Amino acid sequence: MLHKTRGIALSYIRYRESSIIAKIYTESFGIQTYIVNGVRSAKSKTNRIAFFQPLTLLDMVVYHKSKEDTIHRLSEIKCYAPFASIPFDVVKSSLALFVTEILGKTLREEESNEPLFQFIQDSVLFLDQAEDNFENFHIQFLSQLSSYLGFGTETGEDLENELSENNYPRTVDPIELEAARQLLVSRFGSVVPLDRTRRTRILEKLIFFYKIHMDGLGEIKSLEVLKEIMR
């Protein structure tokens, strides 16, 4: 059966000579996997592989037979909000890769969650359109995403307490604590002054916080690159 849905591209792997298997977070079906034939063919008239770059916002027509199927097929696809800056800005593209990896490891429900989809879409659009004040985007994104995933914390003190209960060294830096408190409740684009060292420490705390609540999160491979880019 054919269905229309919006989607957010997360990742893909090559499949056979000219196809890919893509992981996409959809508005209608949650996290799903699709096989896309001929997308890497030299005979292809359009560069459809660009649709599957990290966080690309997609309009799709898809085949879904049943919930038991683990891989589905795409009938039609187009980008409904082409990026103006993410692919061309090294900081933004590094942030996008980090967010993509986090989403790939944390989005597990194969069912509709419209508020979560809307949050991710709006976050991506902010990052693409922002001209400044996006240096804390990844920290604010992790903080807000955790609430949608069901384990968010409202205050910096609550975060520190939970980390301490799980044997993470307790912070005694009042500047860092105040910055973390502000970042947990602020909107994207809010100015929260942070030096590189404190920003990195807060980010590492949030990743540890995620590992407390999500089994199998594992290593975040894009983290070291992001730290280097954000220096």
Side-chain angles (χ1 to χ4, degrees):
M1 183 179 294
L2 285 172
H3 304 268
K4 291 184 178 180
T5 183
R6 292 185 297 175
I8 301 170
L10 298 181
S11 62
Y12 69 85
I13 58 173
R14 295 182 178 186
Y15 178 68
R16 296 181 176 173
E17 287 190 10
S18 61
S19 302
I20 63 171
I21 295 177
K23 181 180 288 187
I24 299 174
Y25 186 65
T26 70
E27 185 175 24
S28 299
F29 305 104
I31 192 73
Q32 295 292 334
T33 302
Y34 297 93
I35 185 168
V36 191
N37 293 323
V39 72
R40 294 169 42 237
S41 172
K43 297 180 181 179
S44 177
K45 296 181 181 179
T46 58
N47 183 27
R48 291 201 302 154
I49 196 70
F51 291 139
F52 304 96
Q53 299 306 308
L55 302 183
T56 303
L57 303 174
L58 304 168
D59 272 327
M60 308 187 300
V61 179
V62 300
Y63 294 98
H64 274 248
K65 294 182 180 179
S66 68
K67 289 187 176 181
E68 287 69 33
D69 291 334
T70 57
I71 299 180
H72 306 277
R73 290 186 178 273
L74 287 171
S75 174
E76 300 175 24
I77 187 169
K78 64 179 180 180
C79 175
Y80 66 83
F83 289 145
S85 66
I86 288 177
F88 317 109
D89 183 303
V90 66
V91 174
K92 288 187 177 183
S93 59
S94 298
L95 288 167
L97 285 173
F98 173 78
V99 165
T100 301
E101 185 175 1
I102 290 293
L103 292 174
K105 289 175 175 288
T106 58
L107 298 179
R108 298 171 182 176
E109 293 183 354
E110 296 182 359
E111 57 187 36
S112 176
N113 186 333
E114 291 187 13
L116 176 55
F117 182 91
Q118 192 69 39
F119 161 70
I120 299 171
Q121 174 200 258
D122 292 348
S123 301
V124 172
L125 290 173
F126 166 81
L127 180 61
D128 188 56
Q129 296 165 6
E131 296 182 359
D132 51 25
N133 298 328
F134 56 85
E135 61 275 4
N136 296 320
F137 170 81
H138 50 318
I139 294 174
Q140 293 167 306
F141 181 85
L142 284 179
S143 173
Q144 295 178 45
L145 176 64
S146 65
S147 295
Y148 286 94
L149 296 177
F151 57 88
T153 182
E154 295 184 357
T155 69
E157 290 76 12
D158 289 344
L159 175 64
E160 287 290 340
N161 289 336
E162 186 160 354
L163 293 175
S164 181
E165 289 170 2
N166 287 273
N167 302 314
Y168 195 91
R170 193 170 184 87
T171 297
V172 293
D173 183 340
I175 296 176
E176 182 180 325
L177 286 173
E178 175 59 21
R181 184 192 67 78
Q182 293 183 47
L183 288 170
L184 288 175
V185 298
S186 63
R187 296 181 178 182
F188 293 133
S190 301
V191 178
V192 181
L194 265 180
D195 58 47
R196 179 180 65 87
T197 299
R198 290 188 173 99
R199 181 180 293 113
T200 297
R201 284 205 298 255
I202 293 173
L203 177 59
E204 290 175 340
K205 288 178 181 179
L206 281 170
I207 291 175
F208 188 87
F209 177 64
Y210 268 67
K211 289 180 177 180
I212 293 171
H213 293 276
M214 303 208 74
D215 293 336
L217 189 68
E219 177 188 6
I220 307 300
K221 296 180 180 179
S222 58
L223 181 58
E224 291 305 316
V225 174
L226 183 61
K227 287 180 182 179
E228 187 65 27
I229 293 296
M230 298 294 289
R231 293 182 67 172

